[in-house]
Amino acid sequence: MCLMLMIAIPPDGEHFTDPAKDNNHKHQEPQTVTSKYTVTVTAYSSARRETDDTPKITANGTLAKDGIIAANFLPFGTKVKIPELFGEKTFVVADRMHPRKKFCVDVWMPSSKNAKKFGRHEAITLIVSQKS
């Protein structure tokens, strides 16, 4: 009996995700990049000291959860990818930051500890739309 094992190794600089294990890829429509920006990327959580008086509710009225970002320079509902930091994961703009934050993106995380550990990065942010 012979057993063969095949392993897919992505080329340097590319991200590899197993769609069967990545919930973000289930039934995802093909997307096209409409524009890109180099921005400062930080993270926040629903801790009271990081938000206003409604910490679990975003600025557009939805529940803060994985996949939500805050950005002042994009309209609510804009779909965004940050491939350098998150691979093919798609985020949705549903929250705002302090008005002094112009070209910044704040990624929601489940805890202050996670947000602090994430830190601050400069990264290319891709604005995507669904292909018709």
Side-chain angles (χ1 to χ4, degrees), residues 52-69:
D52 63 12
D53 59 344
T54 56
K56 292 186 171 130
I57 305 297
T58 65
N60 77 343
T62 61
L63 187 62
K65 62 183 178 184
D66 186 45
I68 294 291
I69 61 170

Side-chain angles (χ1 to χ4, degrees), residues 1 3 12 14-15 34 43 52 58 64 66 68-69 78 83 97 102 105 110-112 116-117 123 126 129-131:
M1 179 180 208
L3 178 65
D12 288 343
E14 291 186 22
H15 298 276
T34 59
D52 63 12
T58 65
D66 186 45
I68 294 291
I69 61 170
T78 302
M97 301 172 76
K102 301 292 182 202
V105 171
S111 72
S112 293
K116 188 173 182 174
K117 184 178 178 182
L126 305 176
S129 65
Q130 305 295 342
K131 286 186 181 176

Side-chain angles (χ1 to χ4, degrees), residues 10-104:
D12 288 343
E14 291 186 22
H15 298 276
F16 178 82
T17 10
D18 181 356
K21 293 181 180 176
D22 188 349
N23 290 335
N24 195 44
H25 287 71
K26 287 184 181 178
H27 303 85
Q28 189 173 6
E29 295 295 321
Q31 297 174 325
T32 185
V33 175
T34 59
S35 56
K36 53 177 147 174
Y37 301 90
T38 299
V39 299
T40 300
V41 182
T42 54
Y44 74 108
S45 72
S46 293
R48 280 209 181 271
R49 69 181 178 277
E50 298 178 47
T51 62
D52 63 12
D53 59 344
T54 56
K56 292 186 171 130
I57 305 297
T58 65
N60 77 343
T62 61
L63 187 62
K65 62 183 178 184
D66 186 45
I68 294 291
I69 61 170
N72 295 340
F73 69 101
L74 296 168
F76 289 137
T78 302
K79 291 186 168 81
V80 173
K81 288 186 178 185
I82 312 168
E84 295 172 57
L85 302 172
F86 297 98
E88 287 298 309
K89 182 173 185 168
T90 301
F91 295 90
V92 176
V93 176
D95 215 349
R96 296 290 186 223
M97 301 172 76
H98 189 281
R100 74 178 179 274
K101 305 285 187 169
K102 301 292 182 202
F103 282 90
C104 298

